[in-house]
Amino acid sequence: LESNTVRAAADEPIWGYQCVKERCERVLVHDAEGRARAVQALSVCKLTCGTSANLWPRPRHLHTSKTLDWVNYSSINVETRGDDGSDYRNHRGGSLLQQASELFREQQMRKATIKDGTPLVKTGGKTLEVTVSLRDPGRHQLTLNTDEGYELFVKIMSDGRINTTIIADNFFGARHALETLNQLIVLDDLEKQLRLPREVTIRDSPAFPYRGVLLDTSRNFVSVDAIKRTLDAMAASKLNTFHWHITDSHSFPFVSQSFPKFHLYGAYTPAEVYTPTEVVDVVAYGRVRGVRVLPELDAPAHVGEGWQWVGDNATVCVKAEPWQKYCVEPPCGQLNPTVDKVYDLLGGLYHDMLSLFKPDMFHMGGDEVNFNCWNNTDSIVEWMVKKNLSGRQEDDFRMVWDHFQKRAYEKLVEANHGHELPVVIWTSGLTAPGKVDRYLDPKKYIIQIWTKGDDPLIKELAEKKYRLIFSNYEALYFDCGFGAWVGEGNNWCSPYIGWQKVYDNDLKKLLRNLGVEPDQTSVLGAEATLWTEQADSHSVDGRLWPRAAAMAERLWSDPVTGWQAAEYRMVSHRERLVKLGVQADSLQPQWCHQNEGYCYLSHNIQGEH
Amino acid sequence: LESNTVRAAADEPIWGYQCVKERCERVLVHDAEGRARAVQALSVCKLTCGTSANLWPRPRHLHTSKTLDWVNYSSINVETRGDDGSDYRNHRGGSLLQQASELFREQQMRKATIKDGTPLVKTGGKTLEVTVSLRDPGRHQLTLNTDEGYELFVKIMSDGRINTTIIADNFFGARHALETLNQLIVLDDLEKQLRLPREVTIRDSPAFPYRGVLLDTSRNFVSVDAIKRTLDAMAASKLNTFHWHITDSHSFPFVSQSFPKFHLYGAYTPAEVYTPTEVVDVVAYGRVRGVRVLPELDAPAHVGEGWQWVGDNATVCVKAEPWQKYCVEPPCGQLNPTVDKVYDLLGGLYHDMLSLFKPDMFHMGGDEVNFNCWNNTDSIVEWMVKKNLSGRQEDDFRMVWDHFQKRAYEKLVEANHGHELPVVIWTSGLTAPGKVDRYLDPKKYIIQIWTKGDDPLIKELAEKKYRLIFSNYEALYFDCGFGAWVGEGNNWCSPYIGWQKVYDNDLKKLLRNLGVEPDQTSVLGAEATLWTEQADSHSVDGRLWPRAAAMAERLWSDPVTGWQAAEYRMVSHRERLVKLGVQADSLQPQWCHQNEGYCYLSHNIQGEH
């Protein structure tokens, strides 16, 4: 009896939705006189109300019809042959496309069925044919120059099939097109169909080539499953760089094949490691989702655990006390730049990382060297005296750091078989105002900015033609706002950063505010960071999502409008992430999702589709 | 080859732990000369270092030996016969004990094996005999007077078995004893054994009888699975009241058998409901874990969705705009206290809730009535004129509210077959300074305080002999600190409340600061609240835990020391919750857990076991 009552509700819906003034309004299916109203499923209303088709990130140019077609989820064909008849499966990029197509089919299957395979939809619908045409089908690696644009066309054929055409330069654009198409196919729980706009014309490409998420797996270990969930959500949001801050002072979970003692000494527990197989798996998992996995080996600071077996005074100040004198948080630890063995070990680690990650660029870290630590190390001070750096002033220590950076860079290039590759480094001592070009060649180094977005240094870096990645902490540090973990109160960069602030972190506006003309700069994009002093596998999803998706639209679409215009779609996208299995934080009561336009603070800011 | 490398690490541990000055220090298993050090597993060090045996909450009196015995996880017998030979299974309380014993055995099984059943421990160890002796084996319901104390003794028998004796008044104390015993049995990953202190003497009881967690399932729906995880974590922390704020203006997920239209109209979707079977299941799940499930039917404000079918002007201001005039957050909605049908419906809902929850107390809500809403409703104003409440001043509206509360209370007692039961009500208009005793009888009403802990009203309530539950928002509102959900910036009660502040929310100190002698008051305890405007099934765990556990120790042990002395155990308890399957937030880098005493801010504040 009980389950019948509940089921009756499902069979005879009481509520439906209508698009009124570009908002989906919840209305009773029957009016006061018992007459049936013309209502839609919420998903259908969201898809057809307004002009953005509920897509996230919003494509740059789109037109979608309000009329929908019924897609037969068990009859979806993705054709990966080109116009010339060549089969992309023979290309490395083509094999990626095969996998992405399979993912696309699985996504539709998941929408149409519940976990045990029971269909949520009626039998029937139209066959969906997807034809992918690539200009460069052999491209299998994302670089900073990769064209990620795509065109997507949907039309109905005379024989009743739905024809979808995807045109892109390469796999990475085509994958984004499949993601867009995926978002355009919705489950209609009133009609019990998967439905797709009958006509679609989309021309789309990202505003910025670098759209990243940093995850720190040293302060706390993060499981491979949690990393894969992160990659799933990134793919759904068209982010393209997973920056893996894999080691730090706290632990060394990376399994080095050259020097296996690093993880034996440095992992929190023997199980909390990333084996070569797992790294290769993560890299492949990312690639098929359009995401490069960018390794960071942070040095010469932010080291410690894992180096205990080395000896030879290779590390200094490890666990030094009181820590406040030697580093920014416990435990302290820095490399000793005067010890040759340090560079041999780095070379081996670079070799291991390059061979597993096969990255198109590399992150060398390079932040927060504590000069007092080096200044308190006799062997370093003696070495400085020999090198005539005896003033023991900041500039002397910067020269030591510069020495380190140059030798480490040589080791990296050597490990890359003599080929240079773009290197990222954090704003820090080497990027000090007025001095950065003394140490870092703008042709070689990309600078990742983690100071505030109004730091005048940004202007200097832009004018000196550095390529820039923004992680300005007041908008993109997703660890901010929780309790303190040393002492009490709240953590250093509190308060918590709401998605609205992330969304409105407009890079071009930041530049203009500093007096820099955006068109004259090499801003590659931005990156949300999750430092994991207070997060691990159990909380990574909620810390990153949906806030990283807010950044994703900023970087992809770079809208002239602010968060208010994106709010309804943001909340929808969060639901999308949850359905992917990502434990994304809830932004609002579900009531707001079902009653668009009622959850506002002042009347002049309202969302739109 | 790769997996061998990793496994080698597991077989030949490099790190171990030593207890030095009541701190567990991570040390190399072999010293510089290759000699083996005497090291312990981390779990064993935490259990034996210091004087609290890593227990959470700390028992009031305990002694545990540093010597440990090896427990055979597959040979655990819990004897539930009393001294007189009577079998507790014949008692209702006894059947609870059977279930709790089974849970205890499963917990040891889970510690000793990995998911697929592969043992993490060696074969062997001693049989563990647990004998439970109850003075009142028939008690199966927790009340405000239930004695939750217990005594727990462990000693080794001449035949080699481990004998554990639990003495308690009733099931609820015995269950806490089993939880304590569970925490005393640890997996030693060096010896590959489950181990327990050879001698244990614990005498324990809670400082406060009411130790609650509120979960709001109206702003967002929370799955039964997430509710059960909450109950698991509550049991592990000896909390005893799950306050289920099951309805509000936003949605009505409770399936009423008397009036099934409430959930048909009021649930977010047909699947997002709590059926009678599910409610009964949750209540039973809580009871066997020592947790009462306390239902709240909030009225006369905080209603809306679900009442649409009623008509008769039963609700007013539902979705009224602009909402700021009629309520504190969208959507608005209040009951119309002048409509008889309102009371009939409330009576039916009370009946349904009482029969499903079988609660020993009831929460009637009663907060945030907006007088302007009533003042803008013609029928209410007309009714007031008839009743000579025509001044339309605050006191007039309070009389209307009082009228509502008295009639609703009558309906509740009627639904409870004429028996009164303790009723909780929020601080609000009816508890206004100088007026509360005009409306609320301290013999009938318990007041739940949600203003700040320094509100002078608390003194008045204490002096007027109300029984009090503290949910002072600056310490116990766990939704605080996230982004705003109407408008931008941070939400109203920001910043985020760290566990340290929760721990130090000392009720007796709050009273003394207000000039009230704690011994002269009826403070029942406190309750952490999770209002779910910005949380749902996917984030409930991390919002509540481990912070609610910080409150749990405050309420159970009421220590004279602050959070600093509890820090190491708090971090351990968080790990315990994670092993239970609860996605508790991480408080610190795992490094701090493994290097006690190094993650501090100033040197004079240090943890202890």
Side-chain angles (χ1 to χ4, degrees), chain A residues 404-460:
Chain A
F404 169 85
Q405 185 57 38
K406 287 197 165 50
R407 286 196 67 181
Y409 183 86
E410 279 166 21
K411 284 289 178 184
L412 176 69
V413 174
E414 188 182 310
N416 199 35
H417 309 293
H419 303 297
E420 294 201 330
L421 76 174
V423 167
V424 192
I425 203 163
W426 294 103
T427 49
S428 194
L430 287 189
T431 67
K435 303 186 173 173
V436 51
D437 41 343
R438 204 181 299 175
Y439 308 114
L440 302 172
D441 178 351
K443 291 199 183 58
K444 292 177 176 170
Y445 287 97
I446 297 164
I447 311 286
Q448 185 164 7
I449 296 156
W450 72 275
T451 53
K452 286 182 86 165
D454 61 359
D455 184 350
L457 176 67
I458 296 169
K459 181 179 161 80
E460 179 180 339

Side-chain angles (χ1 to χ4, degrees), chain B residues 39-99:
Chain B
V39 295
Q40 296 175 306
L42 182 58
S43 61
V44 170
C45 184
K46 299 248 177 197
L47 177 63
T48 55
C49 196
T51 58
S52 299
N54 211 26
L55 290 166
W56 193 279
R58 190 184 194 282
R60 310 195 93 197
H61 307 281
L62 86 158
H63 172 78
T64 58
S65 64
K66 305 287 180 195
T67 313
L68 305 182
D69 267 319
W70 177 10
V71 176
N72 183 341
Y73 75 95
S74 59
S75 181
I76 296 174
N77 306 311
V78 185
E79 185 73 46
T80 59
R81 263 171 219 278
D83 290 343
D84 61 352
S86 67
D87 187 335
Y88 291 165
R89 276 174 294 188
N90 299 332
H91 293 101
R92 293 177 72 179
S95 136
L96 287 171
L97 194 54
Q98 291 287 121
Q99 294 173 58

Side-chain angles (χ1 to χ4, degrees), chain A residues 307-316 336 338-342 379:
Chain A
W307 290 75
Q308 292 96 338
W309 61 277
V310 175
D312 290 359
N313 206 16
T315 54
V316 294
N336 185 336
T338 71
V339 173
D340 286 339
K341 193 174 183 181
V342 163
S379 64

Side-chain angles (χ1 to χ4, degrees), chain A residues 2 5-6 8-10 14-15 17 26 28 189 218-221 229 249-251 255 257 260-261 263-273 275-278 305 308 319-324 329-331 481-490 495-501 504 532-539 543 563-564 567 574-575 578 582-592 594-595 597-603 605, chain B residues 2 5-6 8-10 14-15 17 26 28 189 218-221 229 249-251 255 257 260-261 263-273 275-278 305 308 319-324 329-331 481-490 495-501 504 532-539 543 563-564 567 574-575 578 582-592 594-595 597-603 605:
Chain A
E2 171 187 315
T5 311
V6 175
I14 286 181
W15 296 101
Y17 295 86
R26 199 185 197 209
L28 288 167
D189 59 5
S218 170
R219 272 56 178 261
N220 275 305
F221 182 78
R229 289 197 305 273
S249 299
H250 299 69
S251 75
V255 174
Q257 288 167 301
K261 283 188 174 171
H263 78 274
L264 293 177
Y265 278 74
Y268 279 129
T269 63
E272 290 173 296
V273 295
T275 67
T277 307
E278 286 171 328
E305 296 290 341
Q308 292 96 338
K319 275 178 95 170
E321 290 278 347
W323 62 263
Q324 288 92 336
E329 70 181 45
F482 293 86
W485 65 273
V486 287
E488 56 195 319
N490 289 86
Y496 182 89
I497 301 160
W499 76 271
Q500 302 93 330
K501 182 157 188 166
D504 286 352
T532 55
E533 283 87 352
Q534 295 171 286
D536 63 10
S537 310
H538 309 285
S539 45
R543 293 283 194 281
W563 66 265
Q564 294 90 343
E567 184 172 14
R574 184 267 171 177
E575 296 302 311
V578 166
V582 177
Q583 307 279 74
D585 256 13
S586 166
L587 299 175
Q588 299 184 342
Q590 191 172 339
W591 192 88
C592 304
Q594 296 186 347
N595 292 274
Y598 284 89
C599 297
Y600 61 90
L601 191 60
S602 71
H603 255 302
I605 49 171
Chain B
E2 170 187 315
T5 310
V6 175
I14 286 180
W15 296 101
Y17 295 85
R26 198 183 198 210
L28 288 166
D189 58 6
S218 170
R219 271 59 177 259
N220 276 304
F221 182 78
R229 290 197 304 273
S249 298
H250 299 69
S251 75
V255 174
Q257 288 167 301
K261 283 189 175 170
H263 77 275
L264 292 178
Y265 279 74
Y268 279 129
T269 62
E272 291 172 296
V273 295
T275 67
T277 308
E278 286 170 328
E305 296 290 340
Q308 292 96 338
K319 276 178 95 171
E321 290 279 348
W323 61 264
Q324 287 93 335
E329 71 180 46
F482 293 86
W485 64 273
V486 287
E488 56 196 320
N490 290 85
Y496 182 89
I497 301 160
W499 76 271
Q500 301 94 327
K501 182 155 188 168
D504 286 352
T532 55
E533 282 87 352
Q534 295 171 286
D536 63 11
S537 311
H538 308 286
S539 45
R543 292 283 193 282
W563 66 267
Q564 294 89 346
E567 185 172 15
R574 184 266 169 176
E575 297 300 312
V578 166
V582 176
Q583 308 279 74
D585 256 14
S586 166
L587 298 175
Q588 299 183 343
Q590 191 172 338
W591 192 88
C592 305
Q594 295 187 348
N595 292 274
Y598 284 89
C599 297
Y600 61 90
L601 191 61
S602 72
H603 256 303
I605 49 171

Side-chain angles (χ1 to χ4, degrees), chain B residues 23 30 39 66 69 96 131 134 249 301 306 336-337 345 382 427 482 523 558:
Chain B
R23 302 198 310 217
H30 294 97
V39 295
K66 305 287 180 195
D69 267 319
L96 287 171
T131 309
L134 303 180
S249 298
N336 185 337
L345 293 171
E382 285 159 20
T427 49
F482 293 86
V523 173
D558 203 20

